[in-house]
Amino acid sequence: MKRSEDKIPSSLDQKLDKEVPSGNGVAPAVSLHNGPIDEMDLDEPQVNGTHTNGVQSGKRKAVEDKNTKAEEESEDDSDDQPVPLFQKRQRVSTGNARKRKTIVSSESESDDIPIQQKRSTTKRLSTGTAKAKQAAEAEELKHEKEEVEKHAEKEAKALREADKAKAAPKSAKRRKSVKKQESSDESDEAPVAKRKRTSKGKEPVAPTKKKTPAKKQAKNEESSEDVKPASRKTAKATSAKGKKAITNGKTSAKGKAVKAAAPDGDDDPEDPEGEGEEEEEYRWWEDTAKGDGSEKWKTLEHAGVVFPPPYEPLPEDVKMLYEGVPVTLKPEAEEVAGFFGAMLNSTVNVSNKTFIKNFFNDFKEVLSKTGGAVGPDGKKIKIKEFEKCDFTPIFNYYEEKRAEKKALPAAEKKRLKAEKDAAEAPYQYCLWDGRKEKVGNFRVEPPGLFRGRGEHPKTGHLKKRVQPEQITINIGETATVPAPPAGHRWKEVRHDHTGTWLAMWQENINGAYKYVMLSANSAIKGQSDYNKFEKARELKKHIDRIRKDYRRNLKSELMVERQTATAVYLIDQLALRAGNEKGEDEADTVGCCSLKFEHVTLKPPNIVIFDFLGKDSIRFYQEIEIDEQVFKNLKIFKKEPKVEGDEIFDRLKTTQLNKHLSDYMPGLTAKVFRTYNASWTMAEELRKMKSTGTIADKLKDYTEANRRVAILCNHKRTIPASHEGAMEKLGNQIKGLKYQKWRIKQMMINLDSKIKKKKGADFFKLDEDLDEEWILQHQEALVKEQREKIEKKFQKENEKLVEGGEKEMKASELQERMKVADEMEEQFKKENRTKKVEAEGKSPTIDKLKANLEKIEQRIETMNAQAESRESTKEVALGTSKINYIDPRLTVVFSKKFDVPIERLFSKTLREKFDWAIKSVDENWEF
């Protein structure tokens, strides 16, 4: 491992200054390309030196769909949680059908290309007009980033000045108290000077004989806090358990739930017996004082975990084939064969050589332990080669089972779901300090084949069935310990009051611990989110000093100082992770401190291409325009004798970086910068915003603000594989509305032939987007859709009749109902033949048709806005910014300030997750 020199010679700096002259100040970083751009194509990715042998387009689409769903469910961006979406999205799509030019090889193959060669390949990234447009956009973004940073620096100074001003009278009051104490307490031997002396600028606190009243003390403590929510004063109004009396759901100004006063002193005239009271709502955000303590609960009760059902053996006539011969396996081995057989339609995995290799090794190990395979003649068959295995009979069996389940009547599905819900009901909630809290993930993971994210080296390995003997239960001392399954016992029962988990076990793939935790909308999870965003708000006071220091140290002669400054620049500007150590059997993932020679390609004068596997093996590929001095520093960090495999930041470790950051602010880490930058930028966008018009117009403004945040904070992504299909579907919906609009206009002519002359022929023309072939296809689709609706409604009504003990309707009734679709089909044929459309509906009039026309035109306008928004945000991870990094209270501020329903901004899942934010701020709240 080659190491950098301790000091950087001034001659080297001077030489690089001539090659790449530095600008005035330190320029912010701007992303130019995210993921390999459209005009490119990649060689097959490699894993551990072997090609992944699969249909890449299918793989990328599957990954993209999975990540899209994950956006809504993502809960936390902390480094020990699943990968943040901006890195999830940064994958290389190879599914585009267009022919592309090869620009750069895949992640593993490119590691073998010398840096000079890499540099030459990247020169073809863009040319001509595209390059000019790219430069203009970069310049605009750079200017906007500079303005945002300047305002942040002014704000930081103002906040510190305000804190000093607030602390000054308190300090004077305390000094006066010290003098008074000194004169009245002769027995106090300690000198006043000693008592006044403090460390690190903290205010001196003089000892007093008289105890400060609790109420006054609480007030003093409150005023000394740097960052508290608007409703912080209500902490004193809560009980010892943090509960408040719930009344009619109204809340007083102090944050307590208040019941409306009843006449004549009757506490509750409507409910004298105290029945039917609403369940208490624990508004923890109004009592954050105990959120930072080590003890998380006093009493805890829960029902434990739900285990997956035991394995159900295959029927006798369903067997795996080896060299065309059916073989009998023991249940343990048959279950593993079933895991692979059931997923034969997942080409992403079953064509992946690493996946196959790992699966087959584990399968053979299970075969060895269970006695192997037996042929039809009772003789043992040695299974040696994967290529001779045929899992098709197993796949066909499971496909039939899936089809049977899908074909179940709705009533039967409803019954089965009700049974499942009833069985799991005791596990869905726990009692946490006497409060009913929802449990997030009470089910133990079922056995199966590990898939992993990205190009994980352990993909395909067997995830073994978790036994009760592996599970540790965390519960209160006085609570009843849930009983393990018959014949089993728990590994351990703990009473850990500092833990927020209910149960845990260690999985066998990566040796990671899995935890049963509370749901996203629980007080504990909410407090975690709240603390994360409050930590980002605290960074507001220090960001100017941090940036000033790293900008200065970018030219330090000490290598360690220059590497630290460069790393902080990259973390602040590019939202890079700090990077952690990893074991030999873990995926080769990196962060800022663990970047290696081959992960960074330099392209003069100041463009850097980052290409590496980030957290959870997700590829991070970005072309960034950075400050010239940072570019020169990276060139110094990569200079000879360093070669591939050597670390760029060889003088800096993650622990050193975190220690450096914590010197500015306790608890400051790389991830706090991501949250701060996104939230601060969004706050700036809201300050400038003057949203008017319809709800759709306001949502467009919000999306545009979110898009600006995502771009400025580097939350870009590769275009989703599903984008083209989604846009085509939306386009067809718009065309369908245009066709409907044309039909209504023709109906107007049918009612009043003179209207054509009044309105002019152009008003009644068919839209240019519509042609005869498309109209015929659309009419066919409308008729098919009508038939499906009729059939579905018929089936539902029959199910209800059966449930009520009545006879089903006959098939003749369905045929009768289908006449509506038949008439529609005939109507379309007549219209195509005569080129005339008869007026439809009950008592049609010109006025009614005009009203319908206006409604359709408004729908078209709304959908066009949606299409425009989707197209403009196709390369931006909006969900990443909104869910993980932008303080949700800012979205609530937008909602309340511009009268946009919060339901249009947050899904049901997110409304539950951010319930604390929705209920804790008004439109005047500031980040």
Side-chain angles (χ1 to χ4, degrees):
M1 183 70 71
K2 316 294 188 308
R3 282 179 67 80
S4 305
E5 299 169 1
D6 291 334
K7 288 189 175 183
I8 301 163
S10 57
S11 57
L12 179 58
D13 270 334
Q14 290 166 6
K15 179 185 175 185
L16 289 173
D17 282 341
K18 289 178 182 177
E19 292 177 11
V20 184
S22 298
N24 295 324
V26 176
V30 177
S31 178
L32 303 178
H33 287 301
N34 172 74
I37 59 173
D38 287 343
E39 298 83 10
M40 75 181 297
D41 158 1
L42 298 173
D43 295 339
E44 273 191 290
Q46 296 182 1
V47 179
N48 298 337
T50 58
H51 284 279
T52 53
N53 186 25
V55 182
Q56 292 301 311
S57 59
K59 177 175 182 179
R60 295 301 177 193
K61 190 176 189 307
V63 167
E64 192 60 53
D65 292 343
K66 183 178 178 183
N67 289 340
T68 304
K69 186 178 179 183
E71 274 191 353
E72 287 295 295
E73 306 302 326
S74 176
E75 294 181 4
D76 202 333
D77 74 324
S78 58
D79 288 344
D80 56 352
Q81 293 292 328
V83 64
L85 285 159
F86 82 94
Q87 286 198 8
K88 277 186 182 180
R89 292 293 192 169
Q90 289 162 357
R91 301 187 180 216
V92 187
S93 175
T94 58
N96 199 323
R98 298 192 302 270
K99 190 175 180 182
R100 300 164 175 177
K101 298 176 185 177
T102 302
I103 290 181
V104 64
S105 298
S106 65
E107 55 262 49
S108 38
E109 194 174 50
S110 65
D111 290 348
D112 300 323
I113 300 176
I115 197 71
Q116 291 83 2
Q117 234 177 301
K118 285 188 187 177
R119 196 176 295 142
S120 65
T121 61
T122 57
K123 287 180 182 176
R124 297 190 300 251
L125 282 171
S126 56
T127 54
T129 309
K131 195 167 184 179
K133 185 181 177 184
Q134 179 195 98
E137 287 176 351
E139 195 60 36
E140 183 188 346
L141 282 174
K142 195 188 297 181
H143 175 71
E144 189 168 347
K145 253 190 167 183
E146 285 171 349
E147 290 301 310
V148 169
E149 289 181 7
K150 281 177 186 175
H151 190 191
E153 288 167 18
K154 287 180 182 177
E155 179 81 2
K157 289 172 185 173
L159 285 170
R160 287 202 302 276
E161 287 299 320
D163 283 351
K164 284 179 185 176
K166 198 185 291 184
K170 251 195 298 182
S171 180
K173 189 176 179 181
R174 286 177 180 173
R175 283 197 296 271
K176 188 176 179 182
S177 176
V178 169
K179 288 178 181 178
K180 188 176 179 181
Q181 174 70 16
E182 181 187 14
S183 61
S184 63
D185 189 1
E186 295 178 357
S187 62
D188 188 355
E189 297 176 3
V192 174
K194 216 170 199 178
R195 280 184 276 140
K196 284 185 179 180
R197 195 177 297 132
T198 58
S199 61
K200 294 185 181 178
K202 290 182 180 177
E203 293 296 335
V205 180
T208 57
K209 282 185 175 181
K210 192 171 180 180
K211 192 173 181 180
T212 307
K215 193 171 183 180
K216 189 173 181 181
Q217 188 178 357
K219 188 176 180 182
N220 288 342
E221 286 173 359
E222 179 196 26
S223 63
S224 67
E225 290 292 333
D226 290 325
V227 182
K228 290 290 177 187
S231 57
R232 175 65 187 87
K233 291 182 181 179
T234 61
K236 61 188 178 186
T238 61
S239 67
K241 288 186 179 180
K243 297 180 180 178
K244 286 170 283 297
I246 296 297
T247 54
N248 288 343
K250 295 182 180 180
T251 307
S252 74
K254 300 227 178 221
K256 289 176 70 176
V258 181
K259 191 176 287 187
D264 302 324
D266 188 351
D267 289 340
D268 194 350
E270 295 180 7
D271 190 11
E273 301 300 321
E275 293 178 2
E277 289 185 4
E278 293 181 26
E279 189 174 330
E280 292 187 3
E281 179 187 31
Y282 177 48
R283 298 172 75 88
W284 56 264
W285 55 90
E286 295 175 350
D287 181 20
T288 57
K290 65 185 224 172
D292 295 329
S294 59
E295 187 179 88
K296 300 298 187 295
W297 53 268
K298 294 184 183 300
T299 62
L300 176 60
E301 300 176 43
H302 60 87
V305 295
V306 173
F307 288 91
Y311 173 64
E312 185 181 321
L314 296 170
E316 283 295 320
D317 59 335
V318 178
K319 296 186 184 298
M320 169 190 144
L321 307 178
Y322 190 72
E323 292 186 308
V325 177
V327 295
T328 301
L329 308 172
K330 290 291 174 65
E332 294 87 346
E334 185 184 80
E335 183 179 25
V336 179
F339 294 150
F340 191 89
M343 58 192 298
L344 286 185
N345 58 345
S346 175
T347 53
V348 175
N349 298 296
V350 298
S351 59
N352 182 329
K353 287 185 177 179
T354 304
F355 187 93
I356 291 170
K357 176 188 170 187
N358 291 335
F359 154 72
F360 197 56
N361 286 340
D362 287 356
F363 180 45
K364 287 191 293 182
E365 189 178 324
V366 175
L367 281 171
S368 177
K369 288 179 181 177
T370 57
V374 178
D377 55 2
K379 293 182 179 179
K380 284 194 174 184
I381 295 179
K382 188 76 172 174
I383 295 178
K384 295 180 180 179
E385 298 177 43
F386 173 79
E387 290 73 16
K388 295 179 179 179
C389 297
D390 185 356
F391 301 90
T392 308
I394 297 175
F395 172 76
N396 292 337
Y397 170 75
Y398 283 123
E399 279 293 285
E400 287 173 14
K401 295 287 282 184
R402 280 191 278 262
E404 286 173 13
K405 189 175 180 181
K406 192 176 179 180
L408 283 174
E412 180 65 11
K413 288 179 181 176
K414 191 176 178 182
R415 184 188 67 79
L416 291 172
K417 186 179 184 302
E419 285 181 4
K420 180 173 177 283
D421 290 346
E424 293 182 347
Y427 303 90
Q428 291 180 351
Y429 292 90
C430 72
L431 282 176
W432 187 288
D433 283 348
R435 297 188 312 273
K436 190 177 178 182
E437 293 275 12
K438 193 169 184 181
V439 180
N441 52 336
F442 52 82
R443 299 178 189 88
V444 175
E445 288 183 349
L449 301 181
F450 176 70
R451 303 191 186 193
R453 292 190 178 96
E455 307 297 343
H456 205 290
K458 292 190 175 182
T459 184
H461 273 302
L462 174 64
K463 284 197 300 181
K464 296 177 182 176
R465 187 177 290 272
V466 177
Q467 300 296 337
E469 286 75 11
Q470 297 170 254
I471 295 177
T472 299
I473 299 290
N474 191 27
I475 199 165
E477 291 87 345
T478 59
T480 303
V481 178
H488 292 274
R489 59 180 179 77
W490 301 120
K491 177 182 179 181
E492 186 184 351
V493 176
R494 290 189 194 173
H495 311 293
D496 181 5
H497 290 256
T498 64
T500 58
W501 53 277
L502 310 184
M504 72 170 179
W505 63 90
Q506 192 174 18
E507 52 88 23
N508 67 291
I509 301 293
N510 298 306
Y513 284 93
K514 300 286 184 177
Y515 294 89
V516 173
M517 310 287 281
L518 299 187
S519 67
N521 64 332
S522 67
I524 291 296
K525 286 285 188 179
Q527 284 169 7
S528 175
D529 279 340
Y530 172 84
N531 291 335
K532 177 179 83 171
F533 292 113
E534 285 300 300
K535 184 73 71 178
R537 290 182 78 202
E538 180 69 13
L539 180 54
K540 284 195 307 178
K541 300 177 184 179
H542 311 283
I543 192 67
D544 62 324
R545 293 189 297 115
I546 294 170
R547 285 175 176 161
K548 183 181 177 182
D549 287 353
Y550 79 59
R551 288 166 182 168
R552 182 185 65 247
N553 286 337
L554 285 174
K555 295 185 177 181
S556 172
E557 66 171 3
L558 293 176
M559 182 64 75
V560 66
E561 285 187 359
R562 196 177 288 202
Q563 287 195 1
T564 302
T566 305
V568 177
Y569 172 92
L570 296 177
I571 286 168
D572 181 25
Q573 297 291 327
L574 305 182
L576 290 188
R577 293 176 177 275
N580 296 297
E581 298 296 328
K582 61 183 182 299
E584 291 180 5
D585 59 344
E586 291 182 273
D588 184 23
T589 61
V590 296
C592 186
C593 293
S594 49
L595 282 170
K596 292 187 178 176
F597 185 94
E598 60 270 19
H599 297 145
V600 175
T601 302
L602 303 174
K603 186 179 163 190
N606 64 332
I607 291 174
V608 178
I609 297 172
F610 292 96
D611 189 357
F612 57 86
L613 291 184
K615 188 172 172 64
D616 288 321
S617 304
I618 306 304
R619 187 179 184 185
F620 181 99
Y621 182 103
Q622 288 215 13
E623 182 179 349
I624 312 284
E625 182 179 308
I626 62 173
D627 175 71
E628 288 87 351
Q629 184 60 46
V630 176
F631 180 88
K632 286 183 278 190
N633 288 349
L634 289 173
K635 195 167 185 179
I636 291 169
F637 303 160
K638 287 191 67 172
K639 79 182 189 73
E640 294 180 352
K642 284 188 181 179
V643 293
E644 289 190 16
D646 290 333
E647 291 183 347
I648 291 177
F649 293 93
D650 57 304
R651 295 280 175 177
L652 184 65
K653 298 298 178 189
T654 307
T655 50
Q656 289 174 263
L657 180 61
N658 286 333
K659 173 66 174 63
H660 171 75
L661 294 175
S662 65
D663 286 342
Y664 290 101
M665 178 185 121
L668 179 60
T669 60
K671 62 187 177 186
V672 181
F673 283 91
R674 297 196 291 271
T675 310
Y676 163 77
N677 280 322
S679 297
W680 174 258
T681 309
M682 185 62 170
E684 290 291 283
E685 292 291 325
L686 286 180
R687 280 195 194 100
K688 296 182 289 184
M689 191 180 291
K690 294 179 181 178
S691 192
T692 56
T694 64
I695 298 293
D697 293 332
K698 293 174 183 178
L699 286 171
K700 188 178 177 183
D701 291 340
Y702 176 85
T703 302
E704 176 59 22
N706 193 358
R707 188 181 76 87
R708 299 297 296 174
V709 171
I711 291 172
L712 289 169
C713 296
N714 201 40
H715 300 154
K716 298 184 78 177
R717 64 176 182 182
T718 51
I719 299 173
S722 58
H723 175 75
E724 198 172 326
M727 290 301 292
E728 186 179 347
K729 185 179 178 181
L730 188 57
N732 278 327
Q733 289 173 343
I734 293 170
K735 286 168 81 173
L737 288 173
K738 287 180 178 178
Y739 173 68
Q740 197 175 337
K741 187 172 79 168
W742 176 81
R743 287 188 79 246
I744 290 173
K745 289 179 179 179
Q746 298 307 306
M747 290 178 198
M748 293 169 75
I749 295 174
N750 178 252
L751 290 177
D752 181 7
S753 57
K754 294 179 182 178
I755 199 169
K756 190 170 183 179
K757 192 173 182 180
K758 292 177 187 176
K759 294 276 187 181
D762 288 346
F763 179 79
F764 297 94
K765 271 185 181 179
L766 189 66
D767 197 280
E768 292 178 357
D769 290 352
L770 311 179
D771 56 43
E772 191 175 340
E773 184 183 354
W774 183 89
I775 289 173
L776 290 173
Q777 290 175 353
H778 182 63
Q779 290 173 344
E780 188 180 336
L782 289 174
V783 172
K784 184 181 178 183
E785 184 183 7
Q786 184 66 26
R787 293 188 193 282
E788 288 172 353
K789 282 182 182 177
I790 293 168
E791 189 169 359
K792 195 173 183 181
K793 188 178 179 184
F794 178 79
Q795 287 176 352
K796 280 190 175 181
E797 288 179 7
N798 260 347
E799 286 166 7
K800 284 183 180 179
L801 289 171
V802 172
E803 282 178 24
E806 299 179 45
K807 286 185 179 179
E808 288 185 348
M809 293 181 286
K810 294 181 181 178
S812 57
E813 173 64 21
L814 177 61
Q815 290 174 359
E816 184 66 27
R817 295 185 182 190
M818 282 293 180
K819 286 181 180 178
V820 175
D822 295 337
E823 288 171 6
M824 179 190 280
E825 189 173 22
E826 289 303 315
Q827 179 68 26
F828 283 144
K829 286 179 181 177
K830 185 180 177 182
E831 288 174 10
N832 296 336
R833 188 173 62 254
T834 62
K835 307 298 180 186
K836 294 180 180 178
V837 180
E838 293 179 5
E840 298 171 347
K842 190 177 180 180
S843 306
T845 64
I846 294 292
D847 287 341
K848 285 182 180 178
L849 292 175
K850 280 181 179 178
N852 289 340
L853 203 61
E854 286 176 9
K855 287 178 184 177
I856 290 173
E857 283 174 344
Q858 188 153 1
R859 287 177 64 191
I860 290 172
E861 188 180 333
T862 301
M863 293 182 83
N864 275 327
Q866 287 177 2
E868 186 183 330
S869 176
R870 286 188 190 182
E871 186 63 27
S872 67
T873 59
K874 64 184 178 182
E875 292 181 282
V876 183
L878 294 183
T880 301
S881 301
K882 185 169 81 170
I883 298 169
N884 290 323
Y885 301 128
I886 294 174
D887 193 315
R889 289 171 289 191
L890 290 168
T891 300
V892 176
V893 167
F894 172 85
S895 169
K896 294 182 178 179
K897 187 175 181 179
F898 300 109
D899 294 320
V900 177
I902 196 67
E903 293 80 8
R904 302 295 298 273
L905 297 162
F906 284 152
S907 66
K908 184 175 181 290
T909 303
L910 291 178
R911 290 198 302 275
E912 290 177 353
K913 175 181 171 65
F914 296 136
D915 184 58
W916 61 272
I918 294 169
K919 293 177 179 176
S920 66
V921 299
D922 61 18
E923 64 182 61
N924 298 314
W925 182 85
E926 291 188 2
F927 175 74

